[in-house]
Amino acid sequence: MSDRELPADYFAKMYAAQSDPWDFESRWYEQRKYSLSVAMLPKPRYRRAFEPGCSIGVLTEKLAERCDSVLATDIVPVALENARARLSGRDAEFRLWALGDDWPDETFDLVVVSEVGYYLTFEKLTEAMLHVVEHLEPGGTLLCAHWRHVVPEYPQNGDAVHSAVRQTPGLAQFASYQDEDVLIDVFVKGPPSPPSVARSEGLI
């Protein structure tokens, strides 16, 4: 973990060199992670999702299948243009915005922090997670998913990110998955509801 930040032009240079710099469309790691992430969402349908760092919209497209509307953001205009084109005709809104900026004046029942937490320092991530809780509706879902291996230029790795998120007040962990490459956590705002108990008539 480091207190250094990424250069201001880091992402602009990545997209200038390649339209899909992390191979979101073709890499098996990404395809598998998306399937796992969406399958772990506890509700069949969401009203309004917020996805910071949407890149070219590959995950956004999958979220749109489970959500009435999606607000997705990125800090690179060309990435947002590609995401907007991908979701043409869907109820999806795209804004130029970075995790750590002032939050939209609205609430969400789903927030997705996928492969963006390790771009922030620990202090900025902790502050961002408090904003997540503030803008997450009671009983709403937070989905976090991150690559676990160390990338030298990133301020944190995925494990450090999830450790910080798990300590955020107001979030209760609902489910977790990890393997050597990825860590996925699902949280709900507030204590989880007690599981329903099926009872046969006449039995206690």
Side-chain angles (χ1 to χ4, degrees):
M1 186 166 57
S2 169
D3 59 358
R4 71 182 185 281
E5 298 183 359
L6 289 172
D9 61 350
Y10 177 84
F11 295 102
K13 287 183 175 179
M14 295 289 288
Y15 284 98
Q18 186 180 350
S19 61
D20 183 8
W22 288 275
D23 296 323
F24 292 131
E25 292 182 308
S26 59
R27 190 178 171 199
W28 170 240
Y29 164 78
E30 300 294 344
Q31 297 172 29
R32 179 171 174 269
K33 178 191 65 184
Y34 295 147
S35 296
L36 287 167
S37 297
V38 173
M40 289 175 65
L41 293 176
K43 298 179 181 179
R45 193 82 188 163
Y46 289 88
R47 178 189 64 82
R48 178 73 161 162
F50 183 42
E51 183 199 4
C54 68
S55 184
I56 60 173
V58 180
L59 177 57
T60 318
E61 186 175 27
K62 298 181 183 301
L63 294 173
E65 296 174 358
R66 297 274 296 274
C67 303
D68 295 338
S69 66
V70 179
L71 171 59
T73 74
D74 206 279
I75 62 172
V76 181
V78 68
L80 285 175
E81 292 172 9
N82 290 336
R84 186 177 290 110
R86 181 186 298 275
L87 277 87
S88 176
R90 299 289 189 93
D91 191 350
E93 179 184 353
F94 297 90
R95 297 181 191 173
L96 195 66
W97 187 91
L99 191 62
D101 290 350
D102 291 337
W103 273 65
D105 187 21
E106 59 180 303
T107 60
F108 308 90
D109 58 346
L110 173 61
V111 176
V112 177
V113 179
S114 180
E115 308 285 15
V116 295
Y118 40 53
Y119 298 136
L120 302 180
T121 63
F122 176 81
E123 291 75 16
K124 288 191 174 182
L125 175 65
T126 300
E127 182 180 358
M129 296 314 302
L130 294 176
H131 287 301
V132 168
V133 174
E134 180 182 354
H135 291 268
L136 192 62
E137 296 172 0
T141 301
L142 168 64
L143 170 69
C144 290
H146 291 84
W147 174 251
R148 300 188 67 196
H149 302 286
V150 174
V151 180
E153 60 264 36
Y154 294 175
Q156 304 189 69
N157 62 23
D159 285 12
V161 168
H162 284 243
S163 178
V165 176
R166 289 169 180 169
Q167 298 176 52
T168 303
L171 294 176
Q173 191 161 4
F174 178 86
S176 183
Y177 171 84
Q178 73 175 55
D179 58 35
E180 64 180 3
D181 292 328
V182 69
L183 182 55
I184 305 173
D185 280 326
V186 176
F187 304 87
V188 295
K189 182 175 178 177
S193 301
S196 59
V197 179
R199 297 185 178 181
S200 300
E201 187 175 350
L203 297 178
I204 297 177

